[in-house]
Amino acid sequence: MQEDNYRHKGMRKNLVEELRNKGIIDENVLNAINNVPRHVFLDSSFVEFAYQDKAFPIGSGQTISQPFTVAFQTSLLEIQKNMKVLEIGTGSGYQACVLAEMGAKVFSIERQRKLYMKTKSFLAEFPYRIKTFLGDGNKGLPTYGPFDRVIITAAAPDIPQSLVDQLKVGGMMVIPLSENEECQTMLRLTKQEDGSMKRETYGDFRFVPMLKGVGDD
Ligand code: SAH
């Protein structure tokens, strides 16, 4: 793993201040962003980019989400220690580490085989409670549920019913639901006692698409 030196830590502090200025107020989230070294998720030649508030390509046609988006989705989840969290779209593993740094037990699904293999071995270098799975996130992980929280980190064309079924009563799902190809609306769905979902809407974001099945890249 790449080193995490004072320069990196300084850049991360600045990023945290930038996120604060952009409206992220949850100190637990800001603390986690401050503690997880984002540059180690990128190739060492891209260190300069790691602490800009931008999405960045990670290979296999995929991206590591923009820090603001990670912070925003994580804030909506209202994570408490030991919660079971299902993530759809492992990608680089950065979002999973932020959740795990906050004390969550993370179950994360990736559909692209090569990316899954690469990230799985990389995540083994961290002390976090993260289990990774190769599969179609639309189906969730019925044998590991029910979950306290579900986070989808790809643009979802619809709300997958299996994921709703795997959520506890009182549990929350954060999902960027596609309005069209360019733009997704961030939704927070909370499961009610009667099984219905309370829906809250939080502005527009851009994600790579959530696809069906498993791919090779
Ligand atoms: N959470 C990631 C961001 C990932 S980008 C991070 O922190 O880096 C979205 C990821 O979702 C991509 O890796 C993509 O391959 C994956 N993905 C898309 N559709 C999926 C599906 N149906 N099931 C699981 N993963 C999916």
Side-chain angles (χ1 to χ4, degrees):
M1 178 149 347
Q2 298 168 53
E3 64 164 348
D4 184 28
N5 60 31
Y6 281 103
R7 197 168 140 257
H8 299 126
K9 291 189 169 92
M11 289 194 281
R12 211 145 63 235
K13 278 227 155 20
N14 292 339
L15 173 64
V16 165
E17 286 319 304
E18 186 176 348
L19 295 176
R20 213 188 282 280
N21 291 334
K22 289 180 175 174
I24 304 296
I25 53 169
D26 186 328
E27 290 300 327
N28 292 328
V29 173
L30 292 169
N31 208 27
I33 302 257
N34 193 48
N35 290 345
V36 179
R38 190 170 186 264
H39 66 281
V40 305
F41 295 80
L42 305 181
D43 192 276
S44 57
S45 48
F46 298 131
V47 169
E48 297 305 324
F49 297 94
Y51 297 111
Q52 296 178 7
D53 188 21
K54 288 185 182 147
F56 203 79
I58 52 168
S60 304
Q62 298 304 331
T63 57
I64 178 170
S65 298
Q66 183 181 345
F68 178 78
T69 304
V70 172
F72 193 84
Q73 285 194 288
T74 309
S75 299
L76 288 180
L77 286 173
E78 298 179 0
I79 296 293
Q80 289 164 30
K81 283 208 167 57
N82 297 321
M83 277 185 165
K84 279 172 71 177
V85 181
L86 174 63
E87 178 191 28
I88 311 304
T90 314
S92 67
Y94 176 68
Q95 170 75 71
C97 285
V98 170
L99 292 165
E101 170 68 28
M102 294 176 74
K105 283 183 270 182
V106 183
F107 301 76
S108 184
I109 310 177
E110 172 56 52
R111 68 174 288 282
Q112 296 195 192
R113 196 178 307 270
K114 282 196 195 122
L115 186 56
Y116 159 78
M117 299 292 285
K118 185 174 161 212
T119 302
K120 185 187 176 67
S121 59
F122 175 65
L123 287 177
E125 298 182 45
F126 291 86
Y128 295 132
R129 293 184 293 177
I130 303 173
K131 276 191 166 56
T132 52
F133 301 83
L134 175 67
D136 182 351
N138 284 287
K139 299 183 182 141
L141 293 170
T143 50
Y144 291 86
F147 298 96
D148 298 288
R149 301 288 186 261
V150 174
I151 173 172
I152 301 185
T153 68
D158 47 34
I159 300 168
Q161 186 57 42
S162 308
L163 301 186
V164 171
D165 293 343
Q166 289 167 35
L167 201 57
K168 291 182 188 172
V169 171
M172 294 172 180
M173 178 179 338
V174 171
I175 169 169
L177 192 66
S178 285
E179 297 293 318
N180 51 54
E181 279 185 16
E182 255 94 79
C183 172
Q184 292 84 47
T185 303
M186 193 65 76
L187 297 183
R188 179 166 70 181
L189 307 170
T190 307
K191 196 170 195 174
Q192 310 295 300
E193 291 218 14
D194 64 3
S196 66
M197 302 297 274
K198 182 178 102 183
R199 182 188 281 234
E200 296 163 288
T201 305
Y202 294 92
D204 294 340
F205 289 81
R206 276 200 78 162
F207 285 83
V208 297
M210 182 166 173
L211 303 171
K212 305 261 185 225
V214 171
D216 271 334
D217 269 3

Short mmCIF file of all heavy atoms in Angstrom, two decimals, residues 26-78:
data_model
loop_
_atom_site.label_atom_id
_atom_site.label_comp_id
_atom_site.label_asym_id
_atom_site.label_seq_id
_atom_site.Cartn_x
_atom_site.Cartn_y
_atom_site.Cartn_z
N ASP A 26 -22.39 16.51 8.91
CA ASP A 26 -22.28 15.35 9.80
C ASP A 26 -20.81 15.11 10.16
O ASP A 26 -20.00 14.71 9.31
CB ASP A 26 -22.88 14.13 9.10
CG ASP A 26 -22.96 12.90 10.00
OD1 ASP A 26 -22.08 12.76 10.88
OD2 ASP A 26 -23.88 12.10 9.82
N GLU A 27 -20.47 15.36 11.42
CA GLU A 27 -19.06 15.27 11.85
C GLU A 27 -18.52 13.85 11.74
O GLU A 27 -17.33 13.65 11.50
CB GLU A 27 -18.88 15.79 13.28
CG GLU A 27 -19.05 17.30 13.42
CD GLU A 27 -18.05 18.12 12.59
OE1 GLU A 27 -16.90 17.67 12.41
OE2 GLU A 27 -18.42 19.20 12.11
N ASN A 28 -19.39 12.86 11.94
CA ASN A 28 -18.93 11.47 11.82
C ASN A 28 -18.51 11.16 10.39
O ASN A 28 -17.54 10.44 10.15
CB ASN A 28 -20.02 10.49 12.24
CG ASN A 28 -20.31 10.58 13.72
OD1 ASN A 28 -19.41 10.86 14.51
ND2 ASN A 28 -21.56 10.36 14.09
N VAL A 29 -19.25 11.71 9.44
CA VAL A 29 -18.92 11.51 8.01
C VAL A 29 -17.61 12.24 7.68
O VAL A 29 -16.70 11.68 7.07
CB VAL A 29 -20.07 12.00 7.11
CG1 VAL A 29 -19.65 11.93 5.63
CG2 VAL A 29 -21.33 11.17 7.35
N LEU A 30 -17.51 13.49 8.12
CA LEU A 30 -16.31 14.29 7.82
C LEU A 30 -15.07 13.64 8.46
O LEU A 30 -14.00 13.59 7.86
CB LEU A 30 -16.49 15.72 8.33
CG LEU A 30 -17.56 16.53 7.57
CD1 LEU A 30 -17.87 17.84 8.31
CD2 LEU A 30 -17.12 16.83 6.14
N ASN A 31 -15.26 13.10 9.65
CA ASN A 31 -14.18 12.40 10.33
C ASN A 31 -13.71 11.17 9.54
O ASN A 31 -12.51 10.92 9.40
CB ASN A 31 -14.73 11.98 11.70
CG ASN A 31 -13.64 11.89 12.71
OD1 ASN A 31 -12.62 12.59 12.59
ND2 ASN A 31 -13.82 11.02 13.68
N ALA A 32 -14.66 10.42 9.03
CA ALA A 32 -14.32 9.22 8.24
C ALA A 32 -13.57 9.62 6.96
O ALA A 32 -12.58 8.99 6.59
CB ALA A 32 -15.59 8.43 7.91
N ILE A 33 -14.03 10.69 6.30
CA ILE A 33 -13.34 11.15 5.08
C ILE A 33 -11.92 11.59 5.43
O ILE A 33 -10.97 11.36 4.69
CB ILE A 33 -14.11 12.34 4.43
CG1 ILE A 33 -15.54 11.93 4.11
CG2 ILE A 33 -13.33 12.93 3.25
CD1 ILE A 33 -15.89 11.63 2.71
N ASN A 34 -11.79 12.19 6.61
CA ASN A 34 -10.46 12.62 7.08
C ASN A 34 -9.54 11.44 7.38
O ASN A 34 -8.32 11.54 7.25
CB ASN A 34 -10.64 13.49 8.33
CG ASN A 34 -9.37 14.24 8.67
OD1 ASN A 34 -8.76 14.84 7.80
ND2 ASN A 34 -8.97 14.17 9.92
N ASN A 35 -10.14 10.32 7.76
CA ASN A 35 -9.33 9.16 8.19
C ASN A 35 -9.01 8.17 7.07
O ASN A 35 -8.06 7.40 7.19
CB ASN A 35 -10.04 8.41 9.32
CG ASN A 35 -10.04 9.22 10.60
OD1 ASN A 35 -9.29 10.19 10.73
ND2 ASN A 35 -10.90 8.85 11.54
N VAL A 36 -9.82 8.13 6.01
CA VAL A 36 -9.58 7.15 4.94
C VAL A 36 -8.72 7.82 3.85
O VAL A 36 -9.13 8.82 3.26
CB VAL A 36 -10.90 6.64 4.33
CG1 VAL A 36 -10.61 5.65 3.19
CG2 VAL A 36 -11.77 5.98 5.40
N PRO A 37 -7.51 7.28 3.59
CA PRO A 37 -6.61 7.89 2.60
C PRO A 37 -7.08 7.64 1.17
O PRO A 37 -6.83 6.57 0.61
CB PRO A 37 -5.27 7.19 2.88
CG PRO A 37 -5.63 5.88 3.49
CD PRO A 37 -6.94 6.07 4.21
N ARG A 38 -7.76 8.60 0.57
CA ARG A 38 -8.35 8.38 -0.76
C ARG A 38 -7.30 8.14 -1.84
O ARG A 38 -7.56 7.44 -2.81
CB ARG A 38 -9.25 9.58 -1.14
CG ARG A 38 -10.12 9.36 -2.39
CD ARG A 38 -11.14 10.48 -2.54
NE ARG A 38 -12.08 10.26 -3.63
CZ ARG A 38 -11.96 10.76 -4.85
NH1 ARG A 38 -10.93 11.52 -5.15
NH2 ARG A 38 -12.87 10.52 -5.78
N HIS A 39 -6.09 8.69 -1.65
CA HIS A 39 -5.08 8.56 -2.72
C HIS A 39 -4.65 7.11 -2.94
O HIS A 39 -4.25 6.76 -4.03
CB HIS A 39 -3.85 9.45 -2.45
CG HIS A 39 -3.07 9.05 -1.24
ND1 HIS A 39 -3.45 9.37 0.03
CD2 HIS A 39 -1.92 8.34 -1.12
CE1 HIS A 39 -2.56 8.88 0.89
NE2 HIS A 39 -1.63 8.25 0.22
N VAL A 40 -4.76 6.25 -1.91
CA VAL A 40 -4.31 4.87 -2.10
C VAL A 40 -5.27 4.07 -3.00
O VAL A 40 -4.94 2.97 -3.44
CB VAL A 40 -4.06 4.12 -0.76
CG1 VAL A 40 -3.09 4.90 0.11
CG2 VAL A 40 -5.35 3.82 -0.01
N PHE A 41 -6.46 4.64 -3.27
CA PHE A 41 -7.42 3.98 -4.16
C PHE A 41 -7.15 4.31 -5.63
O PHE A 41 -7.77 3.74 -6.52
CB PHE A 41 -8.86 4.39 -3.80
CG PHE A 41 -9.26 3.90 -2.43
CD1 PHE A 41 -8.86 4.58 -1.29
CD2 PHE A 41 -10.01 2.74 -2.29
CE1 PHE A 41 -9.21 4.12 -0.02
CE2 PHE A 41 -10.36 2.27 -1.04
CZ PHE A 41 -9.95 2.97 0.10
N LEU A 42 -6.25 5.26 -5.85
CA LEU A 42 -5.89 5.66 -7.22
C LEU A 42 -4.46 5.25 -7.50
O LEU A 42 -3.67 5.06 -6.58
CB LEU A 42 -6.02 7.19 -7.38
CG LEU A 42 -7.36 7.82 -7.02
CD1 LEU A 42 -7.32 9.31 -7.27
CD2 LEU A 42 -8.47 7.19 -7.84
N ASP A 43 -4.12 5.15 -8.76
CA ASP A 43 -2.74 4.87 -9.15
C ASP A 43 -1.85 5.97 -8.57
O ASP A 43 -2.24 7.14 -8.50
CB ASP A 43 -2.70 4.88 -10.68
CG ASP A 43 -1.38 4.33 -11.18
OD1 ASP A 43 -0.41 5.11 -11.24
OD2 ASP A 43 -1.35 3.13 -11.48
N SER A 44 -0.61 5.60 -8.16
CA SER A 44 0.24 6.56 -7.44
C SER A 44 0.55 7.81 -8.28
O SER A 44 0.86 8.87 -7.72
CB SER A 44 1.53 5.90 -6.98
OG SER A 44 2.19 5.34 -8.09
N SER A 45 0.43 7.71 -9.60
CA SER A 45 0.70 8.91 -10.42
C SER A 45 -0.44 9.92 -10.36
O SER A 45 -0.33 11.01 -10.92
CB SER A 45 0.98 8.49 -11.87
OG SER A 45 0.02 7.58 -12.31
N PHE A 46 -1.55 9.57 -9.71
CA PHE A 46 -2.70 10.48 -9.68
C PHE A 46 -2.95 11.11 -8.31
O PHE A 46 -4.03 11.59 -8.03
CB PHE A 46 -3.97 9.75 -10.13
CG PHE A 46 -3.91 9.24 -11.53
CD1 PHE A 46 -4.26 7.93 -11.83
CD2 PHE A 46 -3.49 10.07 -12.56
CE1 PHE A 46 -4.20 7.46 -13.13
CE2 PHE A 46 -3.42 9.61 -13.87
CZ PHE A 46 -3.77 8.29 -14.16
N VAL A 47 -1.90 11.08 -7.45
CA VAL A 47 -2.06 11.60 -6.09
C VAL A 47 -2.66 13.01 -6.09
O VAL A 47 -3.51 13.33 -5.26
CB VAL A 47 -0.70 11.62 -5.35
CG1 VAL A 47 -0.78 12.40 -4.06
CG2 VAL A 47 -0.25 10.20 -5.07
N GLU A 48 -2.21 13.82 -7.05
CA GLU A 48 -2.69 15.22 -7.09
C GLU A 48 -4.21 15.29 -7.25
O GLU A 48 -4.84 16.26 -6.84
CB GLU A 48 -2.04 15.97 -8.26
CG GLU A 48 -0.53 16.10 -8.15
CD GLU A 48 -0.08 16.74 -6.85
OE1 GLU A 48 -0.79 17.65 -6.38
OE2 GLU A 48 0.94 16.29 -6.29
N PHE A 49 -4.78 14.28 -7.90
CA PHE A 49 -6.22 14.31 -8.17
C PHE A 49 -7.04 13.75 -7.01
O PHE A 49 -8.24 13.98 -6.93
CB PHE A 49 -6.54 13.49 -9.43
CG PHE A 49 -5.91 14.06 -10.67
CD1 PHE A 49 -4.68 13.60 -11.11
CD2 PHE A 49 -6.55 15.06 -11.39
CE1 PHE A 49 -4.09 14.13 -12.25
CE2 PHE A 49 -5.97 15.59 -12.53
CZ PHE A 49 -4.74 15.12 -12.96
N ALA A 50 -6.38 12.98 -6.14
CA ALA A 50 -7.12 12.21 -5.13
C ALA A 50 -7.89 13.11 -4.17
O ALA A 50 -8.94 12.73 -3.67
CB ALA A 50 -6.17 11.31 -4.35
N TYR A 51 -7.35 14.32 -3.91
CA TYR A 51 -7.98 15.19 -2.92
C TYR A 51 -8.66 16.40 -3.54
O TYR A 51 -8.94 17.38 -2.87
CB TYR A 51 -6.98 15.54 -1.83
CG TYR A 51 -6.57 14.28 -1.10
CD1 TYR A 51 -5.30 13.76 -1.21
CD2 TYR A 51 -7.53 13.57 -0.37
CE1 TYR A 51 -4.96 12.56 -0.58
CE2 TYR A 51 -7.20 12.38 0.25
CZ TYR A 51 -5.92 11.88 0.14
OH TYR A 51 -5.61 10.69 0.75
N GLN A 52 -8.94 16.29 -4.87
CA GLN A 52 -9.85 17.25 -5.48
C GLN A 52 -11.25 16.67 -5.37
O GLN A 52 -11.42 15.45 -5.36
CB GLN A 52 -9.49 17.44 -6.96
CG GLN A 52 -8.12 18.05 -7.13
CD GLN A 52 -7.74 18.20 -8.59
OE1 GLN A 52 -8.55 17.98 -9.49
NE2 GLN A 52 -6.50 18.58 -8.83
N ASP A 53 -12.24 17.54 -5.30
CA ASP A 53 -13.61 17.05 -5.16
C ASP A 53 -14.16 16.67 -6.54
O ASP A 53 -15.05 17.32 -7.07
CB ASP A 53 -14.49 18.12 -4.48
CG ASP A 53 -15.87 17.55 -4.16
OD1 ASP A 53 -16.00 16.31 -4.09
OD2 ASP A 53 -16.81 18.35 -4.01
N LYS A 54 -13.61 15.59 -7.10
CA LYS A 54 -13.99 15.14 -8.44
C LYS A 54 -14.05 13.62 -8.49
O LYS A 54 -13.28 12.95 -7.79
CB LYS A 54 -12.95 15.59 -9.46
CG LYS A 54 -12.98 17.06 -9.73
CD LYS A 54 -12.02 17.44 -10.83
CE LYS A 54 -12.05 18.96 -11.02
NZ LYS A 54 -10.75 19.48 -11.42
N ALA A 55 -14.93 13.08 -9.35
CA ALA A 55 -14.91 11.65 -9.64
C ALA A 55 -13.65 11.37 -10.46
O ALA A 55 -13.08 12.28 -11.07
CB ALA A 55 -16.15 11.25 -10.43
N PHE A 56 -13.17 10.11 -10.47
CA PHE A 56 -11.95 9.81 -11.20
C PHE A 56 -12.01 8.38 -11.75
O PHE A 56 -12.51 7.49 -11.07
CB PHE A 56 -10.74 9.96 -10.25
CG PHE A 56 -9.48 10.21 -11.00
CD1 PHE A 56 -9.19 11.47 -11.48
CD2 PHE A 56 -8.60 9.16 -11.25
CE1 PHE A 56 -8.03 11.69 -12.20
CE2 PHE A 56 -7.44 9.38 -11.97
CZ PHE A 56 -7.15 10.66 -12.45
N PRO A 57 -11.49 8.16 -12.99
CA PRO A 57 -11.55 6.80 -13.56
C PRO A 57 -10.67 5.81 -12.79
O PRO A 57 -9.56 6.15 -12.38
CB PRO A 57 -11.02 6.97 -14.99
CG PRO A 57 -10.64 8.39 -15.15
CD PRO A 57 -10.91 9.14 -13.92
N ILE A 58 -11.18 4.59 -12.59
CA ILE A 58 -10.42 3.56 -11.86
C ILE A 58 -10.19 2.32 -12.72
O ILE A 58 -9.87 1.25 -12.21
CB ILE A 58 -11.16 3.13 -10.57
CG1 ILE A 58 -12.62 2.74 -10.86
CG2 ILE A 58 -11.09 4.22 -9.52
CD1 ILE A 58 -13.32 2.05 -9.70
N GLY A 59 -10.42 2.40 -14.04
CA GLY A 59 -10.29 1.22 -14.91
C GLY A 59 -11.62 0.52 -15.07
O GLY A 59 -12.58 0.82 -14.35
N SER A 60 -11.68 -0.42 -16.01
CA SER A 60 -12.91 -1.15 -16.32
C SER A 60 -14.07 -0.20 -16.66
O SER A 60 -15.23 -0.55 -16.45
CB SER A 60 -13.32 -2.07 -15.17
OG SER A 60 -12.28 -2.96 -14.85
N GLY A 61 -13.75 1.00 -17.12
CA GLY A 61 -14.79 1.96 -17.50
C GLY A 61 -15.56 2.52 -16.32
O GLY A 61 -16.63 3.08 -16.47
N GLN A 62 -15.01 2.35 -15.09
CA GLN A 62 -15.74 2.77 -13.90
C GLN A 62 -15.03 3.93 -13.21
O GLN A 62 -13.91 4.28 -13.55
CB GLN A 62 -15.89 1.58 -12.94
CG GLN A 62 -16.68 0.44 -13.55
CD GLN A 62 -18.05 0.86 -14.04
OE1 GLN A 62 -18.67 1.78 -13.51
NE2 GLN A 62 -18.54 0.19 -15.07
N THR A 63 -15.70 4.51 -12.23
CA THR A 63 -15.12 5.67 -11.54
C THR A 63 -15.19 5.49 -10.03
O THR A 63 -16.02 4.75 -9.53
CB THR A 63 -15.90 6.96 -11.89
OG1 THR A 63 -17.27 6.77 -11.53
CG2 THR A 63 -15.80 7.31 -13.36
N ILE A 64 -14.27 6.17 -9.33
CA ILE A 64 -14.41 6.35 -7.88
C ILE A 64 -15.28 7.60 -7.73
O ILE A 64 -15.03 8.62 -8.36
CB ILE A 64 -13.03 6.49 -7.19
CG1 ILE A 64 -13.16 6.72 -5.68
CG2 ILE A 64 -12.17 7.57 -7.81
CD1 ILE A 64 -11.81 6.64 -4.93
N SER A 65 -16.36 7.49 -6.94
CA SER A 65 -17.31 8.60 -6.85
C SER A 65 -16.63 9.86 -6.32
O SER A 65 -15.63 9.79 -5.59
CB SER A 65 -18.47 8.24 -5.92
OG SER A 65 -19.19 7.13 -6.41
N GLN A 66 -17.23 11.00 -6.68
CA GLN A 66 -16.76 12.30 -6.18
C GLN A 66 -16.87 12.33 -4.65
O GLN A 66 -17.88 11.85 -4.10
CB GLN A 66 -17.66 13.37 -6.80
CG GLN A 66 -17.28 14.77 -6.46
CD GLN A 66 -18.25 15.77 -7.09
OE1 GLN A 66 -19.02 15.43 -7.98
NE2 GLN A 66 -18.20 16.99 -6.60
N PRO A 67 -15.87 12.86 -3.94
CA PRO A 67 -15.96 12.91 -2.47
C PRO A 67 -17.27 13.53 -1.96
O PRO A 67 -17.86 13.03 -0.99
CB PRO A 67 -14.75 13.77 -2.08
CG PRO A 67 -13.75 13.49 -3.15
CD PRO A 67 -14.56 13.33 -4.42
N PHE A 68 -17.75 14.61 -2.61
CA PHE A 68 -19.00 15.21 -2.15
C PHE A 68 -20.15 14.20 -2.22
O PHE A 68 -20.98 14.13 -1.31
CB PHE A 68 -19.37 16.46 -2.97
CG PHE A 68 -20.69 17.06 -2.54
CD1 PHE A 68 -20.76 17.83 -1.39
CD2 PHE A 68 -21.86 16.81 -3.25
CE1 PHE A 68 -21.98 18.35 -0.95
CE2 PHE A 68 -23.07 17.32 -2.82
CZ PHE A 68 -23.13 18.11 -1.67
N THR A 69 -20.18 13.42 -3.29
CA THR A 69 -21.25 12.43 -3.46
C THR A 69 -21.16 11.34 -2.39
O THR A 69 -22.17 10.94 -1.80
CB THR A 69 -21.17 11.81 -4.87
OG1 THR A 69 -21.21 12.86 -5.82
CG2 THR A 69 -22.31 10.84 -5.13
N VAL A 70 -19.94 10.87 -2.12
CA VAL A 70 -19.73 9.88 -1.06
C VAL A 70 -20.20 10.45 0.28
O VAL A 70 -20.94 9.80 1.03
CB VAL A 70 -18.23 9.47 -0.98
CG1 VAL A 70 -17.97 8.59 0.24
CG2 VAL A 70 -17.82 8.75 -2.26
N ALA A 71 -19.79 11.68 0.57
CA ALA A 71 -20.15 12.31 1.84
C ALA A 71 -21.66 12.52 1.93
O ALA A 71 -22.27 12.29 2.98
CB ALA A 71 -19.42 13.64 1.99
N PHE A 72 -22.28 12.92 0.82
CA PHE A 72 -23.71 13.20 0.81
C PHE A 72 -24.52 11.92 1.02
O PHE A 72 -25.41 11.87 1.87
CB PHE A 72 -24.09 13.87 -0.53
CG PHE A 72 -25.46 14.47 -0.53
CD1 PHE A 72 -25.66 15.74 -0.04
CD2 PHE A 72 -26.55 13.76 -1.02
CE1 PHE A 72 -26.93 16.31 -0.03
CE2 PHE A 72 -27.83 14.31 -1.01
CZ PHE A 72 -28.02 15.59 -0.51
N GLN A 73 -24.19 10.88 0.25
CA GLN A 73 -24.93 9.61 0.40
C GLN A 73 -24.72 9.04 1.80
O GLN A 73 -25.66 8.54 2.41
CB GLN A 73 -24.46 8.58 -0.64
CG GLN A 73 -25.00 8.87 -2.04
CD GLN A 73 -24.82 7.66 -2.96
OE1 GLN A 73 -23.70 7.36 -3.35
NE2 GLN A 73 -25.89 6.99 -3.31
N THR A 74 -23.48 9.13 2.30
CA THR A 74 -23.19 8.58 3.63
C THR A 74 -23.95 9.35 4.71
O THR A 74 -24.49 8.76 5.65
CB THR A 74 -21.67 8.61 3.91
OG1 THR A 74 -21.00 8.01 2.80
CG2 THR A 74 -21.32 7.84 5.17
N SER A 75 -24.04 10.69 4.56
CA SER A 75 -24.81 11.49 5.54
C SER A 75 -26.27 11.05 5.56
O SER A 75 -26.86 10.91 6.64
CB SER A 75 -24.75 12.98 5.19
OG SER A 75 -23.43 13.44 5.20
N LEU A 76 -26.85 10.83 4.37
CA LEU A 76 -28.26 10.44 4.31
C LEU A 76 -28.51 9.11 5.02
O LEU A 76 -29.60 8.86 5.52
CB LEU A 76 -28.72 10.31 2.85
CG LEU A 76 -28.89 11.62 2.07
CD1 LEU A 76 -29.36 11.30 0.65
CD2 LEU A 76 -29.88 12.55 2.76
N LEU A 77 -27.49 8.25 5.08
CA LEU A 77 -27.66 6.92 5.67
C LEU A 77 -27.74 6.94 7.20
O LEU A 77 -28.20 5.97 7.80
CB LEU A 77 -26.52 6.00 5.24
CG LEU A 77 -26.56 5.49 3.79
CD1 LEU A 77 -25.27 4.74 3.47
CD2 LEU A 77 -27.76 4.59 3.56
N GLU A 78 -27.28 8.03 7.83
CA GLU A 78 -27.30 8.12 9.30
C GLU A 78 -26.75 6.84 9.93
O GLU A 78 -27.43 6.14 10.69
CB GLU A 78 -28.72 8.43 9.80
CG GLU A 78 -29.22 9.77 9.29
CD GLU A 78 -30.64 10.10 9.74
OE1 GLU A 78 -31.25 9.29 10.47
OE2 GLU A 78 -31.13 11.18 9.36
#
